[in-house]
Amino acid sequence: MTIPYAEQLPVRHPALAAADPELAALVGAEERLQAETLRLIPSENYVSPAVLEASGTVLQNKYSEGYPGRRYYEGQQNIDLVEALAVERAKAVFGVEHANVQPYSGSPANLAVHLAFAEPGDTVMGMALPMGGHLTHGWGVSVTGRWFRGVQYGVRRDTGLVDLDQVRELALRERPKVIFCGGTALPRTIDFAAFGEIAREAGAVLVADIAHIAGLVAGGAHPSPVPHVDVVSTTTHKTLRGPRGAMLMSRGEHAKALDKAVFPGLQGGPHNQTTAAIAVALREAGGPSFRDYAHAVVANARALAEELVVRGFDLVSGGTDNHLILIDLTANDVPGKIAAKALDRAGIVVNHNTVPYDTRKPFDPSGIRIGTPSLTSRGLGTAHMAQVADWIDRAVKAAGAGDEDTLRAVRAEVAELMAAFPAPGLPV
Ligand SMILES: *Cc1c(COP(=O)(O)O)cnc(C)c1O
């Protein structure tokens, strides 16, 4: 196997390079790829060197089933303090009474919520996946839609906004045990207060899944769900800029049910190295510069959306309030997957995505989904967004025309700009 940039590895990861040159070379190639490309996937980011170090520590070696002070293994003198630190910081950053930092990722966190508040066969309600919801909000192919009865709401065709009339009507008719708000392709502010009213009327537990926007909430760039919902579920690796992991947060009254559902209900030993890295990320998220980061992410997304609209792109809901933009390419006559692959060849990494009321199939949809968390972590600002929009425009047109020369030219321009904005934790 030939792997590019293999020669750089011994310096950055000497032990790995000596023990497993093949794997080390792959890591090096990925570092190079993340450094040279413009990463626009809205659920991705660059963690800080400190988060990266914490997640590679010997905390990895320890089994800690249970919770601080109540473990099933001895030798927890340090681990208990690590987890307690992460929990305290989560409570402070999000203003919650209870935090569980053990869920392995966002999907198991949401399954734990089901386990805590519903029985198999009970009704749960969430946004439909093709409308921008998440699989784990009761969608059919997910265990949450197979073992529970998922009922699903969507967005209005005319506005692209969540249809709160439909949410109320469905909730009162179907009486779900749990209602999820939030999703993976929602470019607009979530009206947690309106969902709160509906959930109270319907007698449902309301869960805000803020996986995508947790960093914006932490930094004050999106309203907090905390006053309006029963449970907050979030990943830690998207806008929050932590390691791959998740948290469940709530008022004290739900603490026991959530903790029991995570362990022993669903998981075994927590990933202590991840807990440590979550603690570091939360310390960063609680600092003043993270507020600037969160607001810059939104400012960049708004600027990019405006520049795309100027170039004739059709954005779902017409624009964005957060970090995310959903582009409907129907009018460009380029399918989402073809556009995404062409952009990838041009050094711009996005994902293809369904748009609401998509007429194409989910594995070959009409849209692409982009976002600004990663480019903002590298220091790009609103002044760069016209350039980014221009590259997207050229690459999508080139995709339609089969023009590989333009894609290659854009790739070189992208690499040149990104070299001037080194990514945290990556080689220059
Ligand atoms: C990303 C995401 C998840 C799932 O997180 P994983 O860590 O990929 O399992 C759940 N809910 C929402 C809204 C998400 O965006």
Side-chain angles (χ1 to χ4, degrees):
M1 168 158 68
T2 46
I3 297 156
Y5 309 109
E7 74 283 356
Q8 298 189 3
L9 259 293
V11 189
R12 289 179 54 80
H13 307 285
L16 185 59
D20 190 341
E22 197 175 25
L23 191 282
L26 287 169
V27 173
E30 178 61 19
E31 288 176 337
R32 195 33 64 187
L33 190 67
Q34 289 190 19
E36 285 179 353
T37 53
L38 177 60
R39 300 169 65 233
L40 292 181
I41 294 175
S43 49
E44 293 182 351
N45 214 327
Y46 295 95
V47 298
S48 71
V51 168
L52 208 51
E53 272 186 25
S55 65
T57 54
V58 296
L59 304 190
Q60 155 75 38
N61 296 341
K62 189 70 195 135
Y63 240 113
S64 315
E65 281 182 349
Y67 291 100
R70 296 174 283 140
R71 305 282 192 185
Y72 290 80
Y73 294 77
E74 298 313 316
Q76 309 295 342
Q77 293 86 339
N78 304 308
I79 299 296
D80 272 4
L81 298 178
V82 168
E83 186 169 337
L85 199 54
V87 167
E88 281 314 308
R89 288 176 182 170
K91 284 157 65 171
V93 166
F94 289 96
V96 289
E97 290 173 7
H98 176 69
N100 186 312
V101 298
Q102 292 193 8
Y104 297 145
S105 215
S107 300
N110 285 344
L111 187 55
V113 169
H114 284 75
L115 186 58
F117 299 110
E119 294 295 324
D122 279 350
T123 301
V124 298
M125 184 169 144
M127 190 178 213
L129 181 68
M131 291 281 179
H134 193 261
L135 279 167
T136 56
H137 299 179
W139 188 247
V141 298
S142 155
V143 62
T144 62
R146 292 191 54 183
W147 293 354
F148 301 87
R149 184 176 153 268
V151 295
Q152 311 267 283
Y153 58 87
V155 298
R156 288 175 58 110
R157 197 187 271 273
D158 53 346
T159 59
L161 303 179
V162 172
D163 190 341
L164 287 166
D165 295 333
Q166 185 199 18
V167 172
R168 169 172 279 110
E169 195 185 296
L170 255 185
L172 295 181
R173 188 175 74 224
E174 304 289 348
R175 297 283 165 177
K177 284 275 172 56
V178 184
I179 298 176
F180 284 87
C181 59
T184 62
L186 305 181
R188 295 297 182 176
T189 302
I190 303 166
D191 190 345
F192 297 120
F195 271 100
E197 256 176 52
I198 293 168
R200 273 193 301 280
E201 255 183 82
V205 171
L206 178 61
V207 183
D209 184 348
I210 61 166
H212 260 263
I213 56 170
L216 306 185
V217 172
H222 187 290
S224 169
V226 171
H228 307 290
V229 309
D230 298 292
V231 176
V232 176
S233 172
T234 186
T235 60
T236 48
H237 49 273
K238 300 181 184 175
T239 50
L240 193 59
R241 222 159 58 176
R244 306 201 78 81
M247 307 192 290
L248 289 171
M249 299 178 280
S250 69
R251 287 190 302 280
E253 64 184 284
H254 297 308
K256 213 167 169 187
L258 289 172
D259 284 355
K260 267 179 63 188
V262 173
F263 174 84
L266 188 63
Q267 299 189 167
H271 296 177
N272 296 314
Q273 76 284 6
T274 300
T275 305
I278 289 174
V280 175
L282 288 168
R283 186 187 163 106
E284 292 174 357
S289 65
F290 199 85
R291 284 191 81 78
D292 297 342
Y293 169 68
H295 284 91
V297 166
V298 174
N300 279 339
R302 288 211 173 120
L304 180 54
E306 278 167 26
E307 294 291 346
L308 289 167
V309 167
V310 166
R311 287 162 180 77
F313 283 99
D314 178 11
L315 309 188
V316 171
S317 84
T320 181
D321 298 327
N322 53 30
H323 64 301
L324 183 149
I325 298 166
L326 191 56
I327 308 178
D328 184 344
L329 292 171
T330 306
N332 304 66
D333 217 15
V334 182
K337 199 188 263 183
I338 304 242
K341 286 193 180 305
L343 282 158
D344 195 42
R345 295 200 292 286
I348 298 171
V349 189
V350 308
N351 65 278
H352 61 82
N353 213 95
T354 55
V355 296
Y357 304 99
D358 209 320
T359 51
R360 301 177 63 89
K361 298 277 185 292
F363 56 86
D364 186 18
S366 299
I368 54 173
R369 192 185 66 148
I370 64 174
T372 51
S374 296
L375 65 79
T376 307
S377 289
R378 294 184 72 154
L380 269 67
T382 52
H384 297 104
M385 294 306 112
Q387 175 67 81
V388 172
D390 188 57
W391 283 330
I392 294 172
D393 189 26
R394 282 162 63 198
V396 168
K397 285 189 176 120
D403 174 4
E404 292 298 320
D405 288 344
T406 294
L407 298 180
R408 264 191 298 276
V410 170
R411 187 178 188 99
E413 291 174 34
V414 167
E416 193 187 327
L417 181 70
M418 298 328 283
F421 291 87
L426 287 176
V428 188

